[in-house]
């Protein structure tokens, strides 16, 4: 099973600032990595798939990069609605598909 | 509008059974593989199971293998999860999710709002 490790667990940022969340895989997942955003009381929402492709309707301020074992999600200028928990998920080696433990932007 | 609506979550006793349902609308259901993902309070999501578009192949997380069964009825646009031999650690919010991607290189591109399963005596 591939273990996904996110850092940091919590990121304190201000609106307008840039935020970067990291995700590391225990072995290569090539570019088969997705990012999700989850707000309190809501289901996760797909942001990025294939490591760098934005899902439909996702603003350009969200950028995914990386391949192999190291990935990042960058939000270029934080808006108030971006304060949420972010998860990465690998889908190269399955089953199981595995998620990171999450990074909270506060 | 693409929608997934789960139901069937209840409070169940350890060792008990229940069946979750997920009704899909707004897309051609039998064009997609479908998945169940669960999330315990304060935890990250945990993938549970996946079924191909025709129900011909199914896969499970080790934590539920032999106890849970995923199935679908394409004539009713409905996904199911039969949960047997329930354990306390099965307590979670269960999401139905559509599989995006191709041939098992799948992410979850549409999620329902979830249904809560609590296993407690």
């Amino acid at each position: 099973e591939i273990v996904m490790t996110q850092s940091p667990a919590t990121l304190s940022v201000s609106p307008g600032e840039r935020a970067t969340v990291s995700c590391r895989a225990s072995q290569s997942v090539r570019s088969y990595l997705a990012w999700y955003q989850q707000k309190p009381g809501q289901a996760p929402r797909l942001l990025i798939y294939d490591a760098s492709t934005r899902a439909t309707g996702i603003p350009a301020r969200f950028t995914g990069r990386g391949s192999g074992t190291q990935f990042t999600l960058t939000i270029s200028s934080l808006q108030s609605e971006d304060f949420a928990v972010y998860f990465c998920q690998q889908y190269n080696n399955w089953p199981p598909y595995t998620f990171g433990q999450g990074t909270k932007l506060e | 509008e693409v929608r997934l609506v789960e139901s069937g979550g209840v409070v169940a006793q350890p060792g008990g059974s229940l069946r979750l349902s997920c009704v899909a609308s707004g897309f051609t259901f039998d064009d997609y593989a479908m998945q169940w993902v669960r999330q315990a309070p304060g935890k990250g999501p945990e993938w549970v199971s996946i079924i191909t578009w025709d129900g011909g192949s199914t896969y499970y997380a080790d934590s539920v293998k032999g106890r849970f069964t995923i199935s679908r009825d394409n004539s009713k646009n409905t996904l199911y999860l039969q949960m047997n031999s329930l354990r306390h650690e099965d307590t979670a919010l269960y999401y139905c999710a559509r599989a995006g991607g191709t041939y098992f290189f799948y992410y979850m591109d549409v999620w329902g709002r979830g249904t809560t399963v609590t296993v407690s005596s």
Side-chain angles (χ1 to χ4, degrees), chain B residues 13-45:
Chain B
Q13 291 198 335
S17 299
L18 61 93
R19 188 176 80 159
L20 306 184
S21 300
C22 169
V23 177
S25 59
F27 65 99
T28 303
F29 184 64
D30 56 11
D31 277 350
Y32 291 87
M34 296 294 296
Q35 311 186 65
W36 289 99
V37 179
R38 67 185 181 184
Q39 188 170 28
K43 303 291 187 182

Side-chain angles (χ1 to χ4, degrees), chain A residues 27-103:
Chain A
Q27 63 189 80
S28 176
V29 298
R30 297 188 283 176
S31 293
Y32 293 112
L33 185 107
W35 289 97
Y36 303 87
Q37 177 194 67
Q38 187 174 33
K39 297 180 180 179
Q42 296 185 18
R45 177 176 71 145
L46 177 68
L47 297 176
I48 301 283
Y49 61 94
D50 293 348
S52 61
T53 303
R54 278 187 295 275
T56 303
I58 302 303
R61 65 180 182 272
F62 291 90
T63 302
R65 293 188 177 91
S67 66
T69 62
Q70 300 279 357
F71 300 87
T72 59
L73 173 70
T74 298
I75 310 169
S76 60
S77 179
L78 279 161
Q79 307 296 303
S80 57
E81 62 266 29
D82 300 334
F83 290 88
V85 179
Y86 293 83
F87 296 99
C88 60
Q89 177 234 332
Q90 69 81 23
Y91 48 103
N92 182 64
N93 291 58
W94 53 268
Y97 302 99
T98 50
F99 292 84
Q101 79 279 20
T103 294

